[in-house]
Amino acid sequence: MTDVLFYIYIELYKAMPEIFDDLKVLSLFSGIGAFEVGLDRLYRVINLLEDKKREKQGEK
């Protein structure tokens, strides 16, 4: 289930990245926490891409 949510989040991020700026999540009684896991994975990918982008700009 977390993979499905992760890929949904990726597509949302591609379409509207601004909705993920300063996103705050309150999770009560979330069960296995699939939404949180999917968001954590998305933010790790976003941070990696931003780091690579900064490194690439630093090389120029």
Side-chain angles (χ1 to χ4, degrees):
M1 181 65 172
T2 58
D3 288 339
V4 172
L5 289 170
F6 172 65
Y7 291 114
I8 290 170
Y9 291 149
I10 285 178
E11 294 303 317
L12 279 171
Y13 182 75
K14 287 178 188 176
M16 298 176 289
E18 65 277 356
I19 66 172
F20 291 95
D21 293 343
D22 299 322
L23 181 68
K24 294 179 180 161
V25 177
L26 174 64
S27 177
L28 302 172
F29 311 106
S30 65
I32 62 171
F35 290 101
E36 294 86 353
V37 172
L39 282 172
D40 287 341
R41 287 180 63 192
L42 175 69
Y43 280 113
R44 276 189 265 143
V45 169
I46 291 170
N47 289 334
L48 284 173
L49 292 174
E50 288 177 356
D51 289 344
K52 287 183 180 183
K53 186 177 178 182
R54 277 190 227 113
E55 287 176 7
K56 196 173 187 179
Q57 288 175 350
E59 291 175 0
K60 292 182 178 181

